[in-house]
Amino acid sequence: MRIAVLGGDGFVGWPTVLHLSDLGHEVHILDNLSRRWIDTELGVQSLTPMDSIQERCRIWKEVTGRALQFHLLDLAREYERLRGWLAEYRPDAIIHFAEQRAAPYSMKSDRHKVYTVNNNTNATHNLLAAMVESGIDAHLVHLGTMGVYGYSSVGAAIPEGYLDVEIENLEGEKKDLEILYPTRPGSVYHMTKSLDQILFQFYAQNDGLRITDLHQGIVWGTHTDQTRRHEQLINRFDYDGDYGTVLNRFLIQAAIDYPLTVHGSGGQTRAFIHIQDSVRCIELALADAPAAGERVKIFNQMTETHRVRDLAEMVAGITGARVAYLPNPRKEADENDLVVKNDQFLALGLNPTTLQEGLLGEVVDVARKYAHRIDRSRVPAVSAWTKDIARRVERDPEGKALKSVS
Ligand code: USQ
């Protein structure tokens, strides 16, 4: 297949590009390199040293003989170029990762909220409009999030995207209805993924676009079979308070002897998936496209759930790290339960990599190897969800946020 990977320079995008290329697909990367610009804005860098995208592609060609093509394009702002690209290359499948993906970054300030909404919503809508206009019949696979469901403890398993409900009509008769599971996003970033769902629903129904939406949990790990093949193919790895995600952060913190930063009581339960399973799920979803006219296919892309404090205690148990219970910079439930259905990927042959399988140590090893690249002052999460919480953030004399305090 000819596959366009939008956002193919990012944390999940890059390993997906390599995975699909390795399977023999013709892969094109479309990316505006915004993630690299955000590193510059925040003054942080990936724990792992990352080469330019052009250099990464050159190394992959050298190692495997397989070509990757990179196209510098901003989906959210260059609609005509995007439409022209689709009409010219006519991909069989499009994987859409090209969105600002960090919840704390999206909540940093009003400017970051506006950027995240403009970027993510326009990128998705531009893509859908351009697919219709160019008349291509590509299967669109979008990376969504488990966070669209919210984290209320209703005591029922979260279904894969849709909920069967019964409503009473005007005659008093009970009628069955299938609806999108009600969204309850916990950040502006998660809200944009909720908006995406409505855009997909409309374009699948109105124009017969074939769309799969993957509701992914928190990704952990860094290497995949392909990124391991050469030092310069290494994946990016975020540790800072905005882009680092919880389990990877704990593992890095343990490697540099930094007390593990549990927010609040750590009673938040979240869904997780290893990066290797993440790229495998993309492969499985590609092979299981919906037909034109079918509803959007929604998969829950996760393999296990864990409570944040249990993860911290587990990492502490393995590494001897200390655990610090900190005031929570986010507005979120202190404690929640989470049971998630992921039957569809299991039925398609996903064989989950679990936390127990020794890969935790691999992350700690990577972190130790590159520990000299870590700026410890960038470890605390200081992006506050509300103005009230922001008042509780301790700052240095220059106004730089240091940590949140109770
Ligand atoms: N947390 C800590 N300590 C930390 C960092 C996070 O206790 O040092 C807590 C947070 O307060 C939160 C939970 O861990 O309760 C998860 O935080 P996270 O930063 O690992 O994940 P999140 O902000 O939800 O976002 C990440 C990805 C996002 C993806 C989402 C999947 O950045 O792109 O959509 O995970 S999900 O969480 O299932 O919505």
Side-chain angles (χ1 to χ4, degrees), residues 150-171:
Y151 294 105
S152 63
S153 292
V154 285
I158 294 193
E160 305 207 55
Y162 297 94
L163 186 67
D164 293 322
V165 294
E166 196 181 70
I167 81 168
E168 203 176 279
N169 69 11
L170 296 173
E171 282 75 48

Side-chain angles (χ1 to χ4, degrees), residues 101 145-147 151 189-190 218 246 249 261 263 330 332:
R101 69 99 180 138
T145 175
M146 282 295 303
Y151 294 105
Y189 151 71
H190 287 99
I218 300 170
V246 66
R249 269 165 65 74
T261 54
H263 295 165
R330 304 186 185 202
E332 60 184 359

